[in-house]
């Protein structure tokens, strides 16, 4: 029994070392690509905003700040187009309609808004950005805790990426999502290694072509 307990403890230690090592590698290789101010911020054609939950027909605090940051970059001409990516997997939970309506009501030209209806996770968003929307470089807009992973995935998949931090004030459960990110980064590292394909791909939507923004939004 003691023998098996020792083996179990050794496996836990090895696993923790692996997780910490991968996180250190990902964060150290991407930290210089994260920006916190619009001043002197690099201009990119496309900004990608990741979904982050809704409350009825309103964005959560996390999502609102991401949308506000993206709209700011758009109005300051640091990005020309916005790709919204989120969960639209069921009728009762539709992040994308909330995100589209928010951008529209805050002054973003709908011809500059593109929508990824199958961005169910960060890896899927970046994979689809490359293979469906044909994006070669992008500004990724999210909270700081999430940007290292998003930038790492994007660069590894062939989307030259920089991040813009949407942090603004306090967030409910922020310490928890920061802790959970250790596991998410570890998983994403292996998703990249095995070149995982998302569950949904679909037809090409060229980011340089006509917007796929639906004119039949639920307003």
């Amino acid at each position: 029994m003691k023998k098996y307990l020792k083996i179990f403890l050794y496996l836990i230690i090895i696993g923790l070392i692996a997780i910490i090592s991968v996180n250190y590698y990902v964060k150290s290789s991407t930290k210089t690509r994260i920006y916190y101010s619009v001043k002197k911020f690099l201009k990119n054609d496309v900004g990608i905003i990741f979904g982050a939950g809704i409350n009825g027909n309103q964005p959560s605090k996390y999502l609102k700040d991401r949308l506000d940051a993206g709209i700011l970059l758009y109005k300051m001409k640091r990005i020309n187009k916005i790709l919204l990516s989120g969960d639209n997997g069921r009728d009762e939970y539709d992040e994308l309609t909330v995100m589209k309506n928010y951008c529209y009501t805050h002054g973003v030209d709908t011809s500059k808004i593109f929508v990824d209806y199958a961005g169910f996770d960060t890896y899927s968003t970046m994979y689809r950005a490359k293979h469906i929307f044909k994006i070669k470089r992008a500004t990724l807009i999210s909270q700081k805790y999430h940007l290292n992973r998003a930038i790492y995935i994007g660069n590894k998949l062939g989307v030259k990426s920089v991040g813009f931090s949407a942090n603004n004030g306090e967030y409910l459960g922020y310490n928890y999502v920061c802790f959970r990110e250790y596991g998410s980064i570890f998983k994403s590292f292996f998703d990249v290694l095995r070149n995982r394909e998302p569950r949904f791909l679909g037809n090409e939507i060229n980011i340089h072509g006509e917007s796929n923004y639906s004119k039949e939004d639920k307003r």
Side-chain angles (χ1 to χ4, degrees):
M1 187 68 179
K2 288 184 178 179
K3 177 184 176 182
Y4 292 114
L5 181 60
K6 283 184 178 180
I7 292 172
F8 179 67
L9 290 174
Y10 285 142
L11 289 174
I12 290 177
I13 292 169
I14 291 169
L16 287 173
I17 291 171
I19 290 171
I20 292 169
S21 299
V22 166
N23 272 263
Y24 176 79
Y25 166 66
V26 169
K27 291 177 180 179
S28 62
S29 65
T30 56
K31 63 183 180 181
T32 60
R33 295 177 176 270
I34 298 175
Y35 294 82
Y36 303 89
S37 172
V38 178
K39 295 178 181 178
K40 298 182 180 180
F41 184 71
L42 298 172
K43 183 175 180 180
N44 263 327
D45 187 41
V46 181
I48 300 176
I49 303 178
F50 300 83
I54 55 175
N55 301 311
N57 63 351
Q58 296 296 321
S60 68
K61 164 69 172 168
Y62 284 88
L63 182 54
K64 179 183 182 300
D65 288 349
R66 294 180 188 186
L67 292 166
D68 286 341
I71 292 166
L72 173 65
L73 291 177
Y74 170 79
K75 290 183 175 179
M76 295 293 290
K77 302 189 183 302
R78 296 300 192 272
I79 56 175
N80 299 319
K81 305 182 187 81
I82 294 175
L83 173 62
L84 304 172
S85 185
D87 187 347
N88 191 46
R90 52 193 199 278
D91 290 338
E92 67 274 16
Y93 187 83
D94 185 356
E95 283 187 333
L96 272 306
T97 292
V98 173
M99 294 168 76
K100 289 189 296 182
N101 288 342
Y102 191 92
C103 287
Y104 170 73
T105 56
H106 287 78
V108 181
D109 184 341
T110 57
S111 70
K112 303 297 184 181
I113 299 173
F114 289 74
V115 185
D116 178 5
Y117 291 96
F120 297 118
D121 57 39
T122 303
Y123 182 89
S124 297
T125 294
M126 297 312 302
Y127 191 102
R128 287 171 54 81
K130 173 67 175 179
H131 295 279
I132 301 298
F133 292 90
K134 303 300 178 182
I135 296 172
K136 295 181 179 178
R137 56 188 301 141
T139 295
L140 312 184
I141 302 156
S142 187
Q143 275 75 26
K144 167 65 175 64
Y145 80 90
H146 176 226
L147 285 174
N148 295 105
R149 172 163 54 107
I151 293 168
Y152 177 79
I153 294 170
N155 285 328
K156 289 297 182 180
L157 293 181
V159 181
K160 189 174 182 181
S161 302
V162 295
F164 185 77
S165 174
N167 281 61
N168 183 20
E170 301 293 324
Y171 295 96
L172 182 65
Y174 194 75
N175 289 335
Y176 168 72
V177 295
C178 289
F179 175 76
R180 188 182 64 183
E181 191 65 13
Y182 279 89
S184 299
I185 287 174
F186 190 68
K187 177 181 180 298
S188 295
F189 179 80
F190 289 99
D191 283 341
V192 168
L193 278 183
R194 65 189 181 94
N195 196 32
R196 174 173 73 86
E197 283 196 4
R199 183 179 175 187
F200 299 103
L201 283 175
N203 298 323
E204 177 183 319
I205 305 168
N206 195 313
I207 199 73
H208 301 297
E210 184 179 353
S211 167
N212 68 333
Y213 183 103
S214 171
K215 299 301 188 293
E216 299 175 354
D217 285 337
K218 305 171 202 171
R219 300 195 189 285

